[in-house]
Amino acid sequence: MVLVTALCVIGIACGIAAWFVIGEAARMAAEPPPPVFDPEEAYEWVVAHVPDIVAATLTPDDVRRILDFQLEYFRRQGVTGNGSGANRPGEVAAASGAVVVGGPETVDFIVARAHATGEAYLPEQVHAVIDTQLAYLRAIGAVGPQADDPSTPDAGSGPQAS
């Protein structure tokens, strides 16, 4: 009798645990957790993947400085956040119009900011680091694919027959 009761209790406990696990799996499938950006992991990834021609002209400290300036640009544009502010990331950006991540504005900001701190980087160097950073952000699912240019006719409608 004790054995039957113990087996029933274990069976009920396993059934309840399975119910919670299945429920959580369904919730995560419907709404996956947001990707988490780790600046240290991103830095290491970018240093390892930046094109060789640029890696030959930049030190790891230069790469870190460029990435820090890029994060500063993101914060100023309202596309980052740690969840502690009144606005969620992107709300400020959405209110002010589309923010192009990795565009010429980002490069101009980084080059100007670096110059103000006594460092000089070529736009080509900054572009290479930013492109590598964006590849990392895509790899972790933090950003989507490149947006279509809304100024072009039929943007986003797919290939056109000639």
Side-chain angles (χ1 to χ4, degrees), residues 16-122:
I16 291 171
W19 183 72
F20 279 114
V21 168
I22 291 170
E24 186 65 15
R27 185 192 65 78
M28 288 182 70
E31 183 181 324
V36 176
F37 175 78
D38 178 10
E40 277 305 310
E41 183 181 304
Y43 163 73
E44 291 170 8
W45 197 93
V46 170
V47 167
H49 292 90
V50 73
D52 290 339
I53 193 148
V54 175
T57 64
L58 295 174
T59 67
D61 287 338
D62 291 330
V63 172
R64 181 175 299 282
R65 196 170 298 112
I66 290 170
L67 293 175
D68 287 344
F69 290 146
Q70 182 186 29
L71 288 176
E72 180 181 336
Y73 177 77
F74 287 169
R75 278 188 218 100
R76 288 184 181 195
Q77 296 300 315
V79 295
T80 64
N82 63 4
S84 64
N87 293 332
R88 293 187 334 204
E91 286 180 356
V92 174
S96 62
V99 174
V100 176
V101 177
E105 305 85 19
T106 308
V107 174
D108 292 344
F109 174 84
I110 292 170
V111 169
R113 187 76 175 83
H115 181 71
T117 61
E119 299 293 331
Y121 300 119
L122 298 172

Side-chain angles (χ1 to χ4, degrees), residues 140-156:
I140 66 168
V143 297
Q146 183 173 345
D148 292 328
D149 184 359
S151 64
T152 20
D154 298 318

